[in-house]
Amino acid sequence: MATSASTVGLPEDKSYLLHHFHCNTCISAGATPGKQARCADGLRLWNLYLRAYQAQQRKG
């Protein structure tokens, strides 16, 4: 799943991106979905991001 414009500005989006671009593990995981896992912190932040994304989608 790619990032979405619907989450820009949400705290979850900012938190994940701040981590992601400083973590080689999460950079690799984002570039190869399903082939490499995110680090523990990145996975926690990614899951928070996904929940925020899903909530935005439900709002329509």
Side-chain angles (χ1 to χ4, degrees):
M1 187 202 130
T3 57
S4 169
S6 66
T7 59
V8 169
L10 290 178
E12 296 85 355
D13 183 55
K14 290 179 183 179
S15 296
Y16 179 72
L17 291 176
L18 280 172
H19 170 80
H20 173 86
F21 289 110
H22 293 93
C23 177
N24 289 332
T25 301
C26 289
I27 290 170
S28 295
T32 57
K35 295 184 180 180
Q36 182 171 333
R38 290 172 171 79
C39 75
D41 287 337
L43 181 59
R44 180 183 59 79
L45 292 166
W46 179 248
N47 285 329
L48 290 170
Y49 168 84
L50 287 177
R51 280 188 235 135
Y53 171 80
Q54 291 164 350
Q56 287 289 75
Q57 293 302 302
R58 284 191 297 272
K59 287 181 184 178

